[in-house]
Amino acid sequence: MSKISRREFVEGTTASLVIATASPRSKKDAPDAIPIAWAEAEAASAPHTAIKVTVNGVERSIEVEDRCSVAELLRDHLHLTGTKVGCDRGECGACTVLLDGKPIYSCSYLAVWIDGRQVQTVEGLAGSTGLHPLEQSFIEYDGPQCGFCTSGQLMSAKALLERNPHPNADEVRAALTGNLCRCSNYNRYVEAVLAAAGPATSRRKL
């Protein structure tokens, strides 16, 4: 068995490193290019479906992947980014929108399921004359803190007032149960909804 000196070993290793460093690699061989190529190929091969949906009063025709969520449709395809994605598993309520007037978690609801239906997002609350009364009340009662959950809170509150124009504080709390606020500003949100409901229920003691 031949022996090599420490000097010979170091010189040989250094030469190998120089050769490896000097050899150019094509862009397609870059480590991060392989996952991108796989993702593109997977997206291209995924089943697609053409749907029609009315969003904030405007009818939209669009082709989506069958695995695409309503949140992805709104944010990535229709650029309605008021709908936020927090947990992405139907737990926090930040992505809440109204489907035919009822609140849903858009992150866990497939876009193909809303074909022929109506969706309202937070962008659809304000009218030509200004903010929706709920939005104005949220501002006046200092509802939003970081603001991330606010759009979902607004949509759940909107659904509540549509079916119950004059809720009490407990009913408001129950309606907003599915909307988490990491800033823990729950009482302000309840006050804001009660105030938006009208004089009969505004400024109640909580």
Side-chain angles (χ1 to χ4, degrees), residues 11-187:
E11 288 177 348
T13 304
T14 304
S16 299
L17 288 173
V18 170
I19 293 172
T21 304
S23 301
R25 292 199 305 178
S26 64
K27 188 175 181 180
K28 67 178 181 180
D29 293 330
D32 58 347
I34 297 175
I36 293 174
W38 285 346
E40 291 175 347
E42 186 179 7
S45 62
H48 286 65
T49 299
I51 65 172
K52 285 186 178 181
V53 57
T54 300
V55 181
N56 298 330
V58 179
E59 187 177 278
R60 308 283 193 132
S61 297
I62 189 168
E63 187 175 284
V64 296
E65 291 184 28
D66 289 358
R67 62 187 177 182
C68 176
S69 69
V70 174
E72 291 172 318
L73 169 66
L74 295 172
R75 291 179 56 83
D76 301 337
H77 296 278
L78 302 182
H79 308 295
L80 296 172
T81 55
T83 299
K84 305 303 180 187
V85 177
C87 65
D88 207 19
R89 58 191 181 195
E91 292 182 357
C92 74
C95 67
T96 302
V97 299
L98 302 188
L99 178 64
D100 296 333
K102 297 181 179 180
I104 64 164
Y105 288 159
S106 63
C107 75
S108 55
Y109 207 95
L110 292 179
V112 293
W113 294 346
I114 65 172
D115 185 29
R117 305 177 72 178
Q118 297 195 32
V119 173
Q120 185 179 28
T121 72
V122 69
E123 288 91 346
L125 289 181
S128 57
T129 58
L131 295 177
H132 187 278
L134 266 172
E135 294 177 299
Q136 189 62 48
S137 187
F138 271 39
I139 293 172
E140 292 175 359
Y141 281 78
D142 198 23
Q145 292 294 293
C146 77
F148 195 83
C149 73
T150 303
S151 59
Q153 303 273 8
L154 279 166
M155 300 317 295
S156 291
K158 173 70 159 46
L160 167 66
L161 297 185
E162 286 292 326
R163 68 177 185 271
N164 181 5
H166 300 293
N168 59 38
D170 286 339
E171 290 169 330
V172 174
R173 291 192 186 97
L176 300 182
T177 297
N179 297 81
L180 302 183
C181 175
R182 302 301 184 188
C183 304
S184 299
N185 206 35
Y186 296 108
N187 283 343

